[in-house]
Amino acid sequence: MKGRKPQKLVIVFSTLLFSVILCGAILGVLVYSNPSHYSDDIIKKYASKIKTPKSIDAVIGMDGFSLKTDSRDNDAVVSYTSDNPDVVKVDENGVLHIEGKGSAVITAFTNGDLFHGPAYSKTTVNVSELSAPKITRSKPGVRNTEIGWEKVKHADGYYINEYDSSDKLIDTVKVSAKDDYAEFSDKPIGNTYSYEVIAFTEVGGKEFKGKPSEKVTETARDALIGQARNDEHKKTRGGSAGDQTGKEVAISGWSHGSSWNHWSYVARFKDPEKARIAADAMEAACNNNHIGYDQSNRTSLYNVAKATNWDIENITTNCECSCSPLVSVCINAAGVSVPAGWWTANKSMKAAMQATGEFEFYTDSSYTASTKNLKRGDILVTTGRHAGMVL
């Protein structure tokens, strides 16, 4: 009789093990059938492991992106439901389809395994409209206007609308999500236009537009020139550091045919973004009265600007330049390295620009004797006499 005890123990142990498995399976079925009735502690103790993001921000027009599910059970079967399909629908693969504005809770279920019941995880999806872009740049150029904006999250692209003075839509430019800049050219001088930017998303060939930006208004104008001309005594040497009159380094109108502005050639950046940065640097120099004119100390602006990482607007040290070193500083500010001490009187200035591979050169009279073809950031040079930049 004593020999039967181990057998009895095996039977008892097997019965207990079967009971535990059966209870776990029953609990798992109950949890799976209605998991919201059970506490988090019960779920953590008996359920499989599943994890989804707590929340997702989306916009109207987004579609076809999957809910990322992290489950410990490689063979787990996951199913999904949405508590608000008018806002977000979810298919059997966890792919979300945005239907409207609002919020929806997506629940992901797993089928569990032999020892653990199913589990669930919830994700709140908040759906809004694309936000209105913020215009960061609105600047008239030569018979044109430049518009820049901050990129909008989730945007697939942008529309930039142009309106005439009567608020009639006259032109629209469409750009991709990677762009944050557009240019409207060939505008009659003196005409006024307004502009707005609208972000959009695209799903299955259908576009969903967000809110428009605030409108900005600009008036087309002729070319201006940023340049260094002479010191406070209208001489080339001997003046005090800095701009004593506000006219030593300044913006003036374009005038072909004068003794200074009979241009020999125009150098144009191949990269429009570098042209914009250089022109902004020139404009900042012309508006900073710490920067003056003196050929005897013509590279001091270059040295100060380089030490401040080409932050021309915030230079606070009185310094000097002449016409060609001023242009050099603006080119360097755009990320193109050229020397400080070049001169217009020989070929060093043009040769240095050619060596960078960053410029195209024009000598036709439609560039040198007219503003018709000029663009903001173009470099104007009269060999042996003067240099400036188009603004």
Side-chain angles (χ1 to χ4, degrees):
M1 298 293 293
K2 291 183 179 180
R4 294 182 176 272
K5 285 185 178 181
Q7 230 175 4
K8 287 183 178 181
L9 289 175
V10 172
I11 293 172
V12 170
F13 178 77
S14 299
T15 302
L16 290 174
L17 179 60
F18 177 77
S19 299
V20 169
I21 295 174
L22 180 61
C23 289
I26 293 172
L27 180 59
V29 171
L30 293 173
V31 171
Y32 180 72
S33 63
N34 203 339
S36 61
H37 288 179
Y38 294 86
S39 68
D40 289 341
D41 289 338
I42 294 291
I43 294 299
K44 289 178 182 178
K45 185 174 181 180
Y46 293 102
S48 301
K49 301 296 183 182
I50 182 172
K51 184 179 180 181
T52 58
K54 289 185 177 180
S55 64
I56 294 176
D57 292 326
V59 296
I60 294 175
M62 287 180 64
D63 204 13
F65 58 98
S66 296
L67 184 65
K68 293 183 179 180
T69 304
D70 181 15
S71 176
R72 178 181 296 179
D73 308 314
N74 294 328
D75 59 346
V77 175
V78 183
S79 58
Y80 305 87
T81 63
S82 171
D83 75 340
N84 192 353
D86 290 337
V87 174
V88 182
K89 290 181 180 178
V90 59
D91 65 20
E92 66 275 9
N93 297 314
V95 178
L96 305 181
H97 302 277
I98 306 303
E99 300 293 326
K101 185 178 178 181
S103 63
V105 176
I106 307 301
T107 303
F109 298 90
T110 68
N111 64 340
D113 57 23
L114 181 62
F115 294 98
H116 297 89
Y120 72 97
S121 181
K122 293 188 177 183
T123 299
T124 300
V125 182
N126 299 304
V127 183
S128 60
E129 293 179 286
L130 283 171
S131 58
K134 179 181 179 182
I135 292 180
T136 57
R137 180 185 183 87
S138 171
K139 192 172 286 291
V142 185
R143 299 181 177 87
N144 69 358
T145 300
E146 302 173 354
I147 301 294
W149 59 89
E150 288 183 358
K151 292 183 178 180
V152 173
K153 187 177 181 180
H154 302 309
D156 290 325
Y158 304 90
Y159 284 101
I160 306 90
N161 293 329
E162 181 183 47
Y163 299 85
D164 64 13
S165 57
S166 65
D167 207 33
K168 178 184 177 182
L169 180 64
I170 57 174
D171 195 9
T172 298
V173 172
K174 182 180 180 180
V175 299
S176 69
K178 67 180 181 180
D179 296 315
D180 58 3
Y181 172 84
E183 181 178 309
F184 292 81
S185 304
D186 300 323
K187 302 301 172 187
I189 294 173
N191 284 15
T192 297
Y193 305 89
S194 58
Y195 303 87
E196 68 181 3
V197 183
I198 302 172
F200 70 87
T201 56
E202 185 174 359
V203 179
K206 185 177 181 181
E207 292 182 348
F208 299 83
K209 293 182 180 180
K211 299 177 182 178
S213 68
E214 293 185 1
K215 286 184 179 179
V216 295
T217 301
E218 296 292 350
T219 300
R221 60 166 174 77
D222 203 353
L224 300 176
I225 298 175
Q227 56 192 333
R229 294 295 296 268
N230 47 44
D231 67 14
E232 64 269 29
H233 306 297
K234 295 186 177 181
K235 296 182 178 181
T236 60
R237 302 175 188 272
S240 300
D243 194 334
Q244 315 304 311
T245 64
K247 297 180 180 179
E248 296 180 44
V249 178
I251 299 172
S252 62
W254 185 96
S255 65
H256 170 71
S258 72
S259 60
W260 284 100
N261 294 341
H262 191 92
W263 308 113
S264 303
Y265 64 88
V266 173
R268 175 171 294 169
F269 284 92
K270 293 178 181 179
D271 184 345
E273 179 62 21
K274 292 178 180 177
R276 290 192 287 273
I277 295 172
D280 287 349
M282 175 62 78
E283 193 168 336
C286 292
N287 292 326
N288 187 336
N289 287 336
H290 290 288
I291 302 171
Y293 185 100
D294 190 341
Q295 285 197 7
S296 297
N297 196 20
R298 62 195 298 267
T299 61
S300 67
L301 167 61
Y302 180 97
N303 296 328
V304 170
K306 184 177 181 180
T308 59
N309 198 28
W310 311 107
D311 185 5
I312 312 301
E313 182 178 3
N314 292 314
I315 287 176
T316 57
T317 301
N318 286 346
C319 52
E320 305 281 55
C321 64
S322 62
C323 64
S324 53
L326 173 61
V327 172
S328 169
V329 166
C330 298
I331 294 173
N332 277 277
V336 179
S337 180
V338 292
W342 58 10
W343 294 88
T344 63
N346 53 41
K347 296 181 180 180
S348 68
M349 187 173 183
K350 187 173 185 179
M353 286 191 285
Q354 287 174 323
T356 67
E358 297 276 358
F359 297 92
E360 296 173 330
F361 297 87
Y362 302 91
T363 57
D364 187 81
S365 61
S366 62
Y367 291 87
T368 62
S370 168
T371 63
K372 180 180 179 181
N373 292 323
L374 296 181
K375 293 184 177 182
R376 181 177 170 87
D378 282 352
I379 297 162
L380 307 171
V381 180
T382 302
T383 302
R385 296 194 65 85
H386 192 49
M389 182 173 288
V390 177
L391 299 176

